[in-house]
Amino acid sequence: MARRRLGFWPRLAAVLVKPVLTVWTRRTWQGMEHLGRDGGVIIVANHLSHADPLVSAHFIYDAGRWPQFLAKASVFRVPVLGWILHRCRQIPVERGTVDAARSLDALVTALKAGGTVVIYPEGTTSREPDLWPMKGKTGAARLALTTGAPVIPIAMWGPEKMFDPRTAKFSLRPRIPVSVVAGPPIDLSAWDGASPTRATLEEMTDTIMLRLRDMVAEIRGGTPPPLWERPRTQRQQQGGAA
């Protein structure tokens, strides 16, 4: 990555955050070569903890790319914070509104510019009791179908020791072990040229989530359960595809 092309604010963010994470975590990185260095890519990751974006951003940056995360559009309206997020090339996403199409346009633009778009298909931290991946929402599949960009899976285990969403326990203990593994692009060629019907998007999403589930199992061990599905009432409350 040509660091000089990052711009002031991304470089400043890296200078401030990376040393903290270097002390806070003991990292096992694998599969960085699958991210490549050029061209737009969609990164899909399992979602264990609110610490995930920090850990995955560290991994992606060390792999030579600048991560672009999706964040709620309301966060971008917060004074100062929103201004900084824009300048760090993060992407606002509208959920469940007529403006959702504009969010997709922003993602397409980022990929065409060679960006590294990071999506958590589950849409929230896992509600599965042991933090196995859940069934995903269809946003990543829709973006892949629209752009043809490669979908790179990233499996993580360890950020839940930094912050466990089940107990709200936060740890600043140094050198917390975290593992991040990137795999080769997910083969979604069976849907090349397909219309983005609900059935097609759900099939693609299940393929993505099953790959992530199996990669997580390789890191943490054990036999993964079927993809956990949120009760209908929770899905209705959260709504949308992320």
Side-chain angles (χ1 to χ4, degrees), residues 73-132:
S74 58
V75 176
F76 286 77
R77 292 189 281 271
V78 176
V80 182
L81 176 60
W83 186 86
I84 293 173
L85 288 173
H86 273 299
R87 278 149 187 79
C88 287
R89 291 192 246 159
Q90 304 312 299
I91 301 171
V93 59
E94 300 279 0
R95 294 180 178 176
T97 73
V98 294
D99 292 326
R102 283 194 293 181
S103 298
L104 180 61
D105 290 342
L107 295 171
V108 171
T109 298
L111 290 169
K112 286 183 177 179
T116 307
V117 172
V118 186
I119 296 178
Y120 295 101
E122 293 160 282
T124 185
T125 54
S126 178
R127 301 298 192 259
E128 200 279 334
D130 293 320
L131 299 180
W132 288 100

Side-chain angles (χ1 to χ4, degrees), residues 216-236:
V216 171
E218 291 177 6
I219 299 173
R220 62 181 283 188
T223 302
L227 293 174
W228 189 81
E229 187 167 8
R230 287 163 289 191
R232 181 177 295 274
T233 53
Q234 289 185 19
R235 298 200 304 272
Q236 290 173 338

Side-chain angles (χ1 to χ4, degrees), residues 23 42-43 61 96 105 111 115 163 168 177 189 197-198 237:
V23 174
I42 302 166
I43 289 180
Y61 183 80
D105 290 342
L111 290 169
F163 178 81
S189 60
T197 64
R198 187 72 189 179
Q237 287 170 0

Side-chain angles (χ1 to χ4, degrees), residues 21-242:
L21 291 172
T22 300
V23 174
W24 195 3
T25 62
R26 176 165 53 86
R27 297 157 304 286
T28 301
W29 292 162
Q30 296 180 48
M32 285 182 173
E33 67 277 8
H34 296 302
L35 275 64
R37 292 298 182 100
D38 300 303
V41 296
I42 302 166
I43 289 180
V44 290
N46 63 310
H47 204 356
L48 300 160
S49 163
H50 299 304
D52 291 349
L54 292 172
V55 174
S56 58
H58 193 178
F59 176 85
I60 294 164
Y61 183 80
D62 279 359
R65 282 185 170 266
W66 181 252
Q68 292 178 268
F69 290 90
L70 280 62
K72 292 179 181 179
S74 58
V75 176
F76 286 77
R77 292 189 281 271
V78 176
V80 182
L81 176 60
W83 186 86
I84 293 173
L85 288 173
H86 273 299
R87 278 149 187 79
C88 287
R89 291 192 246 159
Q90 304 312 299
I91 301 171
V93 59
E94 300 279 0
R95 294 180 178 176
T97 73
V98 294
D99 292 326
R102 283 194 293 181
S103 298
L104 180 61
D105 290 342
L107 295 171
V108 171
T109 298
L111 290 169
K112 286 183 177 179
T116 307
V117 172
V118 186
I119 296 178
Y120 295 101
E122 293 160 282
T124 185
T125 54
S126 178
R127 301 298 192 259
E128 200 279 334
D130 293 320
L131 299 180
W132 288 100
M134 306 186 294
K135 285 185 72 70
K137 297 183 179 183
T138 59
R142 184 181 296 276
L143 185 61
L145 202 58
T146 300
T147 63
V151 177
I152 310 296
I154 284 185
M156 295 187 290
W157 189 245
E160 76 287 350
K161 298 181 182 69
M162 300 164 71
F163 178 81
D164 192 325
R166 298 166 296 184
T167 62
K169 183 179 179 181
F170 179 73
S171 175
L172 284 174
R173 176 172 59 87
R175 294 184 59 75
I176 294 173
V178 296
S179 296
V180 181
V181 178
I186 299 173
D187 183 5
L188 300 174
S189 60
W191 296 280
D192 285 350
S195 299
T197 64
R198 187 72 189 179
T200 292
L201 295 175
E202 288 182 349
E203 288 171 4
M204 294 174 69
T205 300
D206 284 347
T207 297
I208 290 168
M209 295 310 304
L210 288 169
R211 169 71 76 83
L212 285 173
R213 183 200 65 179
D214 292 346
M215 289 174 64
V216 171
E218 291 177 6
I219 299 173
R220 62 181 283 188
T223 302
L227 293 174
W228 189 81
E229 187 167 8
R230 287 163 289 191
R232 181 177 295 274
T233 53
Q234 289 185 19
R235 298 200 304 272
Q236 290 173 338
Q237 287 170 0
Q238 292 183 359

